[in-house]
Amino acid sequence: MGVCGCDDEEKDDKLHDECGVVGLFLKQKKDESDEDFSARKQNIAKEAYYGLYSLQHRGQDSAGIAASDGADIKIHKGMGTVGEVFRAENLNMLTGHIAVGHVRYATAGSATIENAQPMLLNSKLGGVAVAHNGQLVNYEQLREMLEENGSTFVSTSDTEVIVKLIAKSYKKGLERALTDTIQMIKGSFALVVMTEKCLIGARDPNGIRPLCLGEVDGGWILASESCAIDAVNGKFIRDIHPGEIVIINEDGVLSFEFGERTSKRTCVFEYVYFARPDSIMDGIAVTEARLRMGECLARESAVPADVVVGVPDSGLEAARGYANEANIPCAIGIIKNKYIGRTFIAPTQQERENLVFVKLNAVRSVVEGKRVVVIDDSIVRGTTSRRLVQILRRAGAKEVHFRISSPPVKFPCYFGINTPSRGELISSQHNEEEICKEIGADSLAFISAEGMLNACKICNPEQYGFCKGCFTGEYPMSVPGEINGKRL
């Protein structure tokens, strides 16, 4: 995904998942006079476009699609959202029966076209296009090894390392090249890989980042979330298993496992915040998980109040669950301005903090004169929470009680989430009482880690493992450390 970091000019008060991926394969038919199929081949990039649009929440800095007609791979990518990068003429150029697409949220120093995906490598053995969601913890070592062996790099993205490793072993055959590469990379990865002839998906042995398989008319789709399958009128089949590779070609879907089976550790923050509410991941409906988190939050930290309001968008379902369990009315009390993108950057820290007043506003008729419980998914730096308290008090709220549907975020993520250093995480530096005072609320409570995990397990008792490193500091594998509070 890229080198981690945090640019002062880009600071906001949310964690960001760094990307979403999609891949499509349409079977070739002998009867090329089939007009419907021929039209779908011509529109393969448009279908990938619709899939990416549904994954736009996973990244807004760059987007790209590569397509193969069986002989050549063409690609178009650029900086911005899906709608900004693609025009009709771009999509019309990307004809064929296979496509992979990518949306990306960039970290510091990496918001450049060189780091946009998919990444395409052409060689005398053929072309390979790779789109990657996740982050490699051994990126630096692998890059150094490749450079010592003569490889040159044009990006700072760890995805380019994956592409170069595949190419290095390509003469052994695609399946062997993929297996060799995947056994070398460590960290989190959900990959979609395309050659001129086939589509491949792979998920890391811990299953940290999501990837699922669906069926479309005449073919198959791989995507980060099931909502992308719905967007192309497909049928969800299943999640790709941790440590599984699927190869999709004219013969169908071939599945095999690489390496030893490890413990499943799906990122729990997908359910708290990242995933779209209408997605289902590893058998857990995201909306239901958030509803259950809200219910648990009410059982753990109920407070007398007149109304419950959720912070849009991911706090809304948790608010409904809290209100149901606490038997308090739930209302839309905070409105989000959906037309402010990440390109709306203010030059100073004070102006950046004041943007919360533009992005969010209170509904006076809902909160005036009332004791208000505010449900949000997380507190990162505390900036948004402090401004929200000010907004609600300005609208006449008598009391403002903050409730958070995740535990305190105390540690960085090394697996594809852009988190600040520990020194910038308010929960790493302050206890609950101090944070409450800092944001100006009447009370503050976080859900317990046990409560959050139980909320997910209620939705699917067979989903037995989660990565919760950003809350506990316990990671599924060894990770880089920090020096003077800065992430390596």
Side-chain angles (χ1 to χ4, degrees):
M1 285 300 305
V3 179
C4 290
C6 186
D7 189 334
D8 284 342
E9 295 300 316
E10 295 283 347
K11 284 182 182 177
D12 63 18
D13 204 26
K14 287 291 181 185
L15 302 182
H16 293 276
D17 191 33
E18 292 184 12
C19 58
V21 299
V22 67
L24 283 152
F25 182 95
L26 298 180
K27 298 175 185 176
Q28 298 276 43
K29 292 187 177 179
K30 293 181 181 179
D31 183 8
E32 290 295 333
S33 64
D34 184 332
E35 293 183 3
D36 288 341
F37 178 72
S38 296
R40 291 203 69 213
K41 282 181 65 180
Q42 293 298 315
N43 291 329
I44 186 75
K46 291 183 181 177
E47 303 226 358
Y49 173 87
Y50 296 140
L52 288 183
Y53 228 126
S54 70
L55 298 174
Q56 188 71 86
H57 58 286
R58 300 184 73 86
Q60 302 87 44
D61 285 340
S62 69
I65 296 173
S68 169
D69 60 6
D72 297 302
I73 297 176
K74 295 180 180 179
I75 190 168
H76 179 78
K77 56 185 177 179
M79 305 306 296
T81 63
V82 175
E84 291 169 337
V85 170
F86 291 98
R87 297 289 181 264
E89 57 268 25
N90 308 133
L91 297 171
N92 291 336
M93 177 192 74
L94 300 171
T95 58
H97 68 288
I98 315 173
V100 295
H102 189 273
V103 289
R104 183 169 189 268
Y105 172 81
T107 51
S110 60
T112 63
I113 189 62
E114 289 80 12
N115 288 323
Q117 298 185 40
M119 290 197 170
L120 174 62
L121 181 69
N122 287 306
S123 72
K124 60 184 180 181
L125 298 173
V128 179
V130 177
H132 168 216
N133 176 23
Q135 190 168 319
L136 306 185
V137 297
N138 63 339
Y139 158 75
E140 295 287 354
Q141 298 95 309
L142 291 173
R143 178 168 174 145
E144 185 177 339
M145 177 200 73
L146 287 165
E147 287 177 330
E148 288 176 353
N149 288 319
S151 294
T152 57
F153 290 80
V154 297
S155 77
T156 57
S157 170
D158 51 5
T159 307
E160 190 175 6
V161 165
I162 296 173
V163 173
K164 294 289 174 67
L165 288 172
I166 293 173
K168 187 171 180 285
S169 302
Y170 206 21
K171 61 186 177 183
K172 301 177 183 177
L174 178 61
E175 184 176 318
R176 179 68 184 275
L178 274 170
T179 304
D180 286 352
T181 296
I182 286 171
Q183 288 178 338
M184 292 185 72
I185 60 180
K186 305 297 179 187
S188 67
F189 53 87
L191 295 171
V192 289
V193 181
M194 181 185 72
T195 68
E196 288 90 349
K197 304 293 185 183
C198 68
L199 175 69
I200 305 100
R203 194 175 178 192
D204 71 74
N206 294 108
I208 297 172
R209 301 263 71 87
L211 189 66
C212 58
L213 173 70
E215 190 173 7
V216 296
D217 182 24
W220 304 91
I221 178 173
L222 294 165
S224 291
E225 296 185 33
S226 62
C227 64
I229 299 174
D230 298 331
V232 297
N233 197 28
K235 177 185 176 184
F236 174 83
I237 300 298
R238 65 176 178 86
D239 293 285
I240 302 302
H241 303 307
E244 180 184 14
I245 294 176
V246 292
I247 298 180
I248 303 172
N249 55 29
E250 290 298 322
D251 297 323
V253 180
L254 170 68
S255 168
F256 63 94
E257 294 184 356
F258 60 87
E260 297 180 2
R261 184 180 292 273
T262 57
S263 298
K264 193 173 192 179
R265 291 292 182 266
T266 306
C267 173
V268 73
F269 228 101
E270 293 282 358
Y271 304 105
V272 173
Y273 171 64
F274 294 133
R276 229 172 72 162
D278 51 333
S279 288
I280 299 173
M281 288 182 174
D282 292 319
I284 297 175
V286 174
T287 286
E288 184 183 0
R290 291 174 185 170
L291 186 75
R292 300 297 185 189
M293 289 175 195
E295 292 174 349
C296 178
L297 194 52
R299 289 192 294 271
E300 291 183 348
S301 58
V303 62
D306 303 306
V307 66
V308 177
V309 300
V311 179
D313 292 311
S314 52
L316 298 178
E317 288 305 314
R320 187 161 66 92
Y322 185 103
N324 291 344
E325 185 70 22
N327 197 26
I328 300 172
C330 186
I332 302 298
I334 299 171
I335 301 299
K336 181 180 180 181
N337 186 335
K338 297 181 182 295
Y339 299 98
I340 298 178
R342 295 196 66 258
T343 54
F344 192 78
I345 301 168
T348 69
Q349 178 64 21
Q350 183 63 45
E351 287 177 297
R352 286 191 293 273
E353 293 187 11
N354 287 341
L355 283 181
V356 178
F357 294 128
V358 181
K359 293 181 179 180
L360 300 168
N361 196 27
V363 181
R364 180 175 288 273
S365 61
V366 171
V367 304
E368 189 170 22
K370 295 178 181 177
R371 300 168 296 175
V372 180
V373 176
V374 182
I375 310 294
D376 204 355
D377 55 79
S378 61
I379 295 181
V380 181
R381 293 182 175 89
T383 304
T384 297
S385 303
R386 183 168 61 252
R387 290 292 186 258
L388 271 173
V389 172
Q390 295 172 3
I391 288 168
L392 289 163
R393 293 203 191 281
R394 187 178 64 188
K398 186 166 62 175
E399 297 176 9
V400 179
H401 302 275
F402 246 81
R403 295 295 180 268
I404 309 300
S405 59
S406 65
V409 178
K410 296 183 177 181
F411 302 91
C413 173
Y414 299 93
F415 306 117
I417 299 172
N418 187 33
T419 50
S421 65
R422 287 189 67 182
E424 295 176 290
L425 294 169
I426 192 169
S427 292
S428 180
Q429 306 298 312
H430 302 282
N431 61 32
E432 200 171 284
E433 183 178 342
E434 291 169 339
I435 297 171
C436 183
K437 184 176 180 181
E438 174 71 20
I439 68 174
D442 291 283
S443 73
L444 168 68
F446 296 83
I447 195 173
S448 65
E450 181 183 20
M452 175 187 63
L453 297 177
N454 285 340
C456 292
K457 290 176 182 177
I458 289 171
C459 303
N460 178 16
E462 295 182 4
Q463 167 62 351
Y464 51 87
F466 300 91
C467 177
K468 47 190 184 297
C470 56
F471 305 121
T472 65
E474 298 173 0
Y475 302 98
M477 66 194 77
S478 58
V479 298
E482 293 184 336
I483 296 178
N484 297 326
K486 297 294 184 182
R487 288 182 55 182
L488 297 179

